Amino acid sequence: MALKNINPTQTEAWKKLGEHYSEIKDIHLKEFFKNNPNRKEEFTLSDDDFLVDFSNNRINQQTINLLIDFAKEAQLEDAISKYFSGDVINVTENRAVLHTALRDASNEEILIDGTNIKSEIQTTLTKIESFSNTVISGEWKGYTGKAITDVVNIGIGGSDLGPDMVVEALQFYKNHLNTHFVSNVDGDHVSEVIKHLNPETTLFIIVSKTFTTQETLSNATTIKEWFLQSATEKDIAKHFAAVSTNLKAIDAFGIDQNNVFPMWNWVGGRFSLWSAVGLSISLSVGFTHFSSLLNGASEMDQHFKNTPFKENMPVILSLLSIWYNNFFGCETEAILPYSQYLNKLPSYLQQAIMESNGKSVDRDGNQISYQTGTIIWGSTGTNMQHAFMQLVHQGTKLIPTDFIGFKESLYGLNDHHNKLMANYYAQMEALAFGKTKEEVHLDLKFQNEASKIATLLPFKVFEGNKPSNAITIKKLTPKSLGKLIALYEHKLFIQGVLWNIYSFDQFGVELGKELANKYYNKIK
Ligand code: F6P
């Protein structure tokens, strides 16, 4: 059964939120903290290894209550149960949305057209495991009898961003295989990657859900031609694998049936890293770590499914985001991981969130009169402090931010880690509390700069009152990374439900592709 069609702006709770917004919009975070000494504890959610502190938001307890009333009135509970049980909630493509099934290790059946998909998932996982083990151990030989040294993932969008982001994030856990990603149709991209590769020791994985994507097919064809300059057609079986739903097209490309991994229509491209699309992850860090990544995501699935809204991390984060997007009129959200390993997380989340919720027609097909998908951007701390944070601190725009930090570093170097985390907490404090005229005045005086007070004072004032969430995680492991990604997947799902849009199609990318084909024929 499909999701209910409920216009959020017509709910009782929405109206109350509007009134509540007028009452509290000008209250400073300093006031909120002053008025409630227990604010930190009241607005922090935690479990074994995750802590979400949302006390630096422009909210009070009533805001949370009203937001939760809104989620209930918009029937979020019903949507969650349909999401996990495989109802056709991707109505415009007539599909279920079951990336959560890929990491569900329970014995519960999930039926699609009467077939339990759990056994297909298990068979594929077993195949990923044995394929990865054979390649990593060196048992898998290339056409001249040498072991594989390099793996190249050829894909784009969801068939690239997820694996690329995770492989980079889990570098610490990596084995000896060098992993590369070719995505752009820009021939210079593929040329730069292959120029250092030896065809005898390289394994190429072509990842494309549809196997019709221009970029991926062009890159795969160029690579095949390059490979065939030194090898023969029959050697392709030792060097090419493919992941797709389109088995016919894979066959036509000449890939050995044994090296074909399935994809399913009920997994959206941008949610597919948990499937065989994540083969490059499993090759890069080994199947045990890949499995832990899945377990971490599953842990977040359980939390999301079974926790009351008030203590539910994805629910709270999505409601806060709606609060800023729809009441404060914020247009963007910044994702700021304090870990160089998570360098690619913002781009990955851009696709996940913006391709999902960038919609302006509701589930009834009507033009929407309220704001939906937020613009996602970001970069890693501390580098971004020396780049764009000036605008977040003192610019004219209100930008809610998610800070993501880890209590422990991976290599030790504790002094570095202490400095990193000091910056993490300092940025959030500066954003929230700012610096008053009086404080600037005193500062200048103490620095023996009293003569400059008249000219400099207004420029050195920080207004503060800028919202942030702190997602503080014990340590970056495959498991905690899986949990973090799933947190954002659920956050965007909730927002789509509450905005009354379809989050799991992406028709907006089609027109450009069609026109590009027209131009291509002309340019040729
Ligand atoms: O163009 C957008 C898109 O369809 C994404 O949703 C998808 O992740 C990407 O292209 C790649 O598609 P495919 O895996 O079918 O090559």
Side-chain angles (χ1 to χ4, degrees):
M1 279 233 311
L3 302 177
K4 306 241 164 73
N5 294 317
I6 298 171
N7 180 336
T9 63
Q10 300 302 313
T11 60
E12 274 308 302
W14 191 274
K15 285 172 206 149
K16 288 190 188 153
L17 278 164
E19 288 156 21
H20 174 68
Y21 166 73
S22 310
E23 284 158 23
I24 74 160
K25 67 179 178 13
D26 296 321
I27 303 179
H28 201 284
L29 275 163
K30 274 186 205 163
E31 286 284 297
F32 283 126
F33 274 94
K34 208 168 81 192
N35 295 340
N36 180 1
N38 299 326
R39 185 175 169 91
K40 257 235 170 329
E41 297 79 73
E42 277 177 26
F43 291 149
T44 296
L45 302 174
S46 60
D47 65 11
D48 294 348
D49 49 1
F50 259 57
L51 187 141
V52 176
D53 174 353
F54 57 102
S55 61
N56 283 333
N57 279 290
R58 291 166 69 167
I59 54 166
N60 59 20
Q61 202 55 63
Q62 199 195 347
T63 326
I64 292 295
N65 294 341
L66 287 173
L67 286 167
I68 287 175
D69 288 348
F70 162 56
K72 287 188 178 155
E73 211 181 325
Q75 310 232 4
L76 178 61
E77 240 161 293
D78 171 73
I80 297 173
S81 101
K82 285 174 175 161
Y83 172 54
F84 280 100
S85 57
D87 282 23
V88 179
I89 61 169
N90 178 1
V91 170
T92 45
E93 293 182 331
N94 193 26
R95 291 171 190 169
V97 175
L98 275 172
H99 46 277
T100 51
L102 298 168
R103 56 229 191 185
D104 175 1
S106 77
N107 294 326
E108 263 171 56
E109 288 190 334
I110 298 180
L111 301 177
I112 290 206
D113 298 330
T115 310
N116 180 15
I117 57 167
K118 292 296 254 329
S119 57
E120 285 180 73
I121 295 172
Q122 195 42 56
T123 310
T124 307
L125 282 173
T126 309
K127 186 165 174 177
I128 296 174
E129 180 174 18
S130 67
F131 188 84
S132 306
N133 288 345
T134 327
V135 174
I136 296 166
S137 67
E139 202 184 307
W140 182 288
K141 302 285 186 230
Y143 70 96
T144 55
K146 292 181 184 159
I148 297 298
T149 56
D150 290 75
V151 173
V152 182
N153 186 92
I154 310 165
I156 197 164
S159 299
D160 164 73
L161 288 163
D164 192 7
M165 181 272 287
V166 172
V167 166
E168 174 153 328
L170 298 182
Q171 249 177 82
F172 180 78
Y173 303 89
K174 233 178 134 338
N175 55 37
H176 63 284
L177 295 173
N178 304 308
T179 321
H180 315 265
F181 291 85
V182 176
S183 52
N184 201 325
V185 76
D186 178 355
D188 293 340
H189 189 189
V190 62
S191 305
E192 280 298 337
V193 172
I194 51 180
K195 85 176 177 197
H196 299 296
L197 294 175
N198 177 355
E200 295 170 60
T201 56
T202 304
L203 177 71
F204 298 97
I205 311 168
I206 309 170
V207 185
S208 176
K209 185 174 165 184
T210 54
F211 225 82
T212 57
T213 305
Q214 184 196 53
E215 291 90 337
T216 303
L217 294 189
S218 305
N219 283 324
T221 306
T222 299
I223 284 177
K224 186 170 144 187
E225 283 163 10
W226 168 83
F227 177 78
L228 290 176
Q229 285 167 16
S230 37
T232 64
E233 289 277 348
K234 76 168 184 7
D235 300 326
I236 287 178
K238 294 185 172 131
H239 292 269
F240 284 79
V243 185
S244 185
T245 53
N246 188 347
L247 303 181
K248 246 181 162 172
I250 296 183
D251 199 39
F253 194 87
I255 291 178
D256 191 290
Q257 281 305 313
N258 294 320
N259 304 347
V260 174
F261 292 78
M263 256 286 266
W264 302 282
N265 275 339
W266 38 265
V267 180
R270 51 193 176 273
F271 307 98
S272 62
L273 70 89
W274 322 100
S275 70
V277 169
L279 186 58
S280 55
I281 304 173
S282 176
L283 285 163
S284 170
V285 294
F287 184 78
T288 309
H289 286 319
F290 182 63
S291 225
S292 303
L293 181 83
L294 268 51
N295 291 339
S298 170
E299 217 169 81
M300 184 51 75
D301 296 344
Q302 294 310 315
H303 167 84
F304 176 41
K305 213 156 83 166
N306 303 322
T307 311
F309 287 173
K310 222 170 178 164
E311 286 128 46
N312 195 310
M313 298 179 190
V315 170
I316 294 293
L317 291 178
S318 63
L319 289 172
L320 289 169
S321 168
I322 290 178
W323 177 234
Y324 294 115
N325 186 56
N326 296 92
F327 294 92
F328 280 84
C330 300
E331 299 235 306
T332 85
E333 262 169 41
I335 313 268
L336 310 173
Y338 274 62
S339 162
Q340 200 50 37
Y341 288 119
L342 296 189
N343 194 27
K344 291 184 175 159
L345 184 69
S347 336
Y348 164 77
L349 289 176
Q350 276 177 335
Q351 188 205 11
I353 299 173
M354 293 168 80
E355 197 165 81
S356 298
N357 288 338
K359 312 285 164 66
S360 51
V361 169
D362 71 13
R363 289 200 287 268
D364 268 328
N366 297 320
Q367 199 65 34
I368 279 172
S369 60
Y370 48 89
Q371 286 292 317
T372 62
T374 45
I375 300 164
I376 299 297
W377 60 284
S379 179
T380 51
T382 59
N383 298 30
M384 53 61 175
Q385 292 175 199
H386 302 271
F388 56 67
M389 283 307 280
Q390 164 66 37
L391 185 145
V392 184
H393 284 288
Q394 284 190 317
T396 51
K397 294 175 175 60
L398 185 67
I399 302 172
T401 49
D402 279 357
F403 284 74
I404 301 167
F406 296 90
K407 286 192 180 148
E408 290 173 33
S409 69
L410 297 183
Y411 280 99
L413 290 183
N414 285 336
D415 189 46
H416 279 263
H417 198 64
N418 292 342
K419 285 174 183 157
L420 178 72
M421 293 311 278
N423 276 282
Y424 174 76
Y425 291 112
Q427 285 294 315
M428 285 184 275
E429 184 176 317
L431 287 169
F433 304 124
K435 197 168 185 180
T436 60
K437 273 187 205 155
E438 294 68 31
E439 287 165 334
V440 176
H441 198 281
L442 271 181
D443 255 15
L444 287 168
K445 239 168 134 181
F446 280 126
Q447 290 158 8
N448 284 331
E449 305 259 31
S451 60
K452 294 188 181 156
I453 290 176
T455 45
L456 281 185
L457 192 128
F459 306 103
K460 291 193 162 239
V461 169
F462 283 56
E463 178 197 311
N465 216 12
K466 310 271 193 286
S468 65
N469 294 306
I471 303 173
T472 314
I473 303 166
K474 193 159 174 265
K475 188 173 169 182
L476 177 58
T477 61
K479 190 166 168 215
S480 66
L481 180 66
K483 211 165 151 177
L484 179 69
I485 301 169
L487 171 71
Y488 279 102
E489 284 181 346
H490 298 322
K491 178 185 166 188
L492 77 85
F493 159 73
I494 299 163
Q495 289 183 295
V497 170
L498 300 180
W499 283 323
N500 197 26
I501 54 176
Y502 286 124
S503 296
F504 298 101
D505 60 23
Q506 55 286 314
F507 298 119
V509 299
E510 294 308 324
L511 179 59
K513 288 185 194 173
E514 274 169 39
L515 294 177
N517 281 335
K518 195 178 86 185
Y519 276 101
Y520 173 56
N521 290 330
K522 277 193 190 169
I523 291 169
K524 255 203 312 192

